[in-house]
Amino acid sequence: MSHIFPRHCKSAPPVATRGDGIYLIDSEGKRYLDGSGGAAVSCLGHSDPDVAKAMHDQIDRLSFAHTGFLTSEPAESLADRLVAHAPEGIERVYLVSGGSEAVEAALKLSRQYMIEIGQTQRTRFIARKQSYHGNTLGALGTGGNMWRREPFDPLMMSASHIDPCYEYRLRQEGETEEEYGLRAANALEEEILRVGPDTVIGFLAEPVVGATAGAVPAVKGYFKRIREICDQYGILLILDEVMCGMGRTGTLFACEQDEISPDIITIAKGLGAGYQPIGAMLCTGEIYDAIAQGSGFFQHGHTYIGHPVAAAAADAVVRKLTEGGMTARSAKMGTRLNDALHAEFGQHPHIGDIRGRGMFRGLEIVADRDSKAPFDPSRGIAGRLKKQAFENGLICYPMSGTIDGQNGDHVLLAPPFIISDEQIDELVGKLSKSLEQVL
């Protein structure tokens, strides 16, 4: 009997024993193609020798130093490397142990920044419906996925939520892409005016929405207008790139493709590529200077932030993503994956939309392609697809509640960037077979 507290008490998952490139191998010897990178984590696959060597070398030198007393060489190197490639204005890196911690740090820094500059009346955040920003109470509270929030709602800080930029469902007939983008972005200004411009701290959004909606990118011009609105009302723009960042969408930071610079960015998942638990919150020099010239102390922290072995692993990962060309490979193979998905599912009667960027792709599953009507939630399409694909040797990331937290199904794909043409064909073939078996 296992004493592990599992994610689901009524399932006993196989035991993973080995990683081999884009495959995971269980104790029975069965191989699984990791078509979702876990949860968009394993961007370099499961057996990268360079990252493993960086970790071993660091363990031999120094395994831990508490940041309340000391910094470390790998933490400093990682911060330098991230800032060198970050959007304009981003100058500081706060290392944490994962995505939820990164978002918590962003929320707390945003509030403290407002205190430091004398705008203590600002206490609200605005986010988007069907967003997901993490599972801690602060991150969950700002997220817009009601199914995840509901049991803990009485305990959480909260945010108000506007419609997402969700072209497939919300763009009106006869509306151009640019017109829709402006209309969707202007919903932020309407919400700011509704709650009071001087009460809002920041707007939190994923450049490409991940788990809850299935790789939904913003349309052209949306985030430029969002940036203008935030600047107009003195509100911080916080971009959650925990899932879509670190090369996943074909550029190191996803927001590069939207041609904007945020005030704060959160990253994790692909930052450590699964080799170590690590995340980061990056902020502008202006925000940092407000703290440095004010109280001088960010009132936050965790024991394992800036962990030397985690930082060494992440530094090796980011080096491969940048100098090693793996982000460029994500863009190239992402086009190949997109082509393969369209070839297989482009005319499928139950695939309504194929979307995403780079190696971050989503397929929205519908009962009727013409009307976009979703399947009845009672059919449990997403859960059944996940189980069937796993039986067929494919790990993918189906989710239900795509449209409003209850209705709609999608499957998210985020394979390692090292995937080959033949392995893309294997992924798409296994997904197609699994979908056919479920439907």
Side-chain angles (χ1 to χ4, degrees):
M1 183 186 74
S2 172
H3 290 95
I4 286 289
F5 198 135
R7 284 181 173 245
H8 197 296
C9 300
K10 293 190 167 117
S11 68
V15 177
T17 58
R18 193 160 61 88
D20 177 20
I22 71 166
Y23 297 93
L24 288 166
I25 303 162
D26 70 18
S27 56
E28 301 297 319
K30 183 174 179 178
R31 294 169 69 87
Y32 304 85
L33 191 157
D34 191 359
S36 61
V41 174
S42 300
C43 55
L44 301 181
H46 298 282
S47 53
D48 190 285
D50 299 322
V51 182
K53 183 178 186 304
M55 292 166 58
H56 284 294
D57 290 348
Q58 184 57 43
I59 289 169
D60 289 340
R61 290 194 299 270
L62 172 71
S63 60
F64 177 69
H66 194 286
T67 56
F69 304 97
L70 297 159
T71 186
S72 68
E73 291 177 351
E76 295 290 338
S77 177
L78 174 59
D80 290 346
R81 197 177 305 278
L82 287 170
V83 168
H85 294 280
E88 184 179 357
I90 297 294
E91 296 180 7
R92 294 285 172 163
V93 178
Y94 191 91
L95 296 174
V96 291
S97 299
S100 295
E101 281 189 18
V103 172
E104 290 284 324
L107 298 175
K108 290 176 76 175
L109 179 64
S110 300
R111 168 58 181 167
Q112 187 171 337
Y113 169 73
M114 293 301 176
I115 294 171
E116 301 276 1
I117 65 172
Q119 298 190 26
T120 57
Q121 80 283 359
R122 292 186 182 264
T123 58
R124 296 177 179 269
F125 288 96
I126 300 173
R128 301 189 296 185
K129 297 173 185 175
Q130 279 304 91
S131 59
Y132 179 63
H133 299 297
N135 253 335
T136 52
L137 289 178
L140 191 62
T142 50
N145 186 262
M146 295 304 128
W147 174 79
R148 284 178 169 90
R149 288 168 49 99
E150 187 177 6
F152 311 104
D153 207 48
L155 310 178
M156 295 186 302
M157 64 174 286
S158 193
S160 57
H161 299 89
I162 62 173
D163 282 338
C165 188
Y166 186 5
E167 183 180 17
Y168 174 64
R169 292 276 174 189
L170 300 181
R171 179 175 163 185
Q172 297 172 357
E173 189 175 348
E175 196 172 32
T176 68
E177 180 182 348
E178 289 78 9
E179 288 169 344
Y180 168 60
L182 286 174
R183 179 171 65 83
N186 284 334
L188 174 59
E189 183 173 35
E190 294 168 11
E191 182 64 8
I192 291 169
L193 295 174
R194 186 187 75 82
V195 301
D198 63 344
T199 70
V200 181
I201 295 173
F203 176 63
L204 176 62
E206 301 162 88
V208 182
V209 183
T212 53
V216 178
V219 299
K220 185 177 180 180
Y222 173 82
F223 271 110
K224 283 193 172 182
R225 176 61 184 142
I226 290 290
R227 177 74 271 183
E228 292 173 358
I229 293 168
C230 290
D231 289 342
Q232 180 180 350
Y233 293 99
I235 290 164
L236 297 178
L237 176 55
I238 308 163
L239 294 184
D240 178 352
E241 297 203 3
V242 166
M243 188 171 260
C244 64
M246 294 296 97
R248 177 55 63 187
T249 61
T251 49
L252 189 64
F253 291 90
C255 63
E256 293 175 44
Q257 296 173 57
D258 298 293
E259 300 179 334
I260 58 159
S261 292
D263 301 295
I264 296 175
I265 315 174
T266 61
I267 55 175
K269 297 190 185 292
L271 175 62
Y275 290 88
Q276 284 282 279
I278 190 167
M281 180 269 294
L282 294 76
C283 72
T284 62
E286 181 180 351
I287 292 174
Y288 176 82
D289 290 343
I291 307 295
Q293 295 166 15
S295 66
F297 171 64
F298 178 29
Q299 198 169 329
H300 186 59
H302 299 278
T303 299
Y304 283 102
I305 64 175
H307 192 280
V309 180
D315 198 28
V317 169
V318 177
R319 189 184 305 117
K320 297 199 82 162
L321 293 175
T322 53
E323 298 166 23
M326 293 307 294
T327 294
R329 182 174 175 83
S330 171
K332 175 186 173 183
M333 298 308 289
T335 298
R336 169 75 175 83
L337 175 60
N338 187 53
D339 290 345
L341 291 171
H342 275 89
E344 182 67 24
F345 300 108
Q347 300 303 316
H348 194 289
H350 296 296
I351 298 297
D353 192 30
I354 302 171
R355 55 189 178 235
R357 296 175 182 168
M359 293 295 275
F360 200 45
R361 301 286 167 174
L363 290 78
E364 186 158 339
I365 305 165
V366 294
D368 181 77
R369 184 183 171 97
D370 292 334
S371 68
K372 304 182 183 180
F375 280 101
D376 190 299
S378 65
R379 291 194 60 176
I381 296 293
R384 290 167 55 207
L385 179 58
K386 180 180 180 182
K387 182 178 179 181
Q388 187 63 60
F390 195 69
E391 288 181 8
N392 292 337
L394 172 65
I395 297 172
C396 56
Y397 202 137
M399 286 289 293
S400 57
T402 310
I403 300 169
D404 55 11
Q406 294 183 334
N407 297 287
D409 300 277
H410 69 265
V411 57
L412 181 68
L413 301 172
F417 306 166
I418 62 171
I419 195 169
S420 68
D421 287 342
E422 294 76 18
Q423 290 166 339
I424 285 177
D425 292 338
E426 180 186 351
L427 187 164
V428 173
K430 286 183 174 179
L431 179 62
S432 182
K433 176 184 176 182
S434 304
L435 189 63
E436 181 181 352
Q437 290 170 319
V438 167
L439 296 179

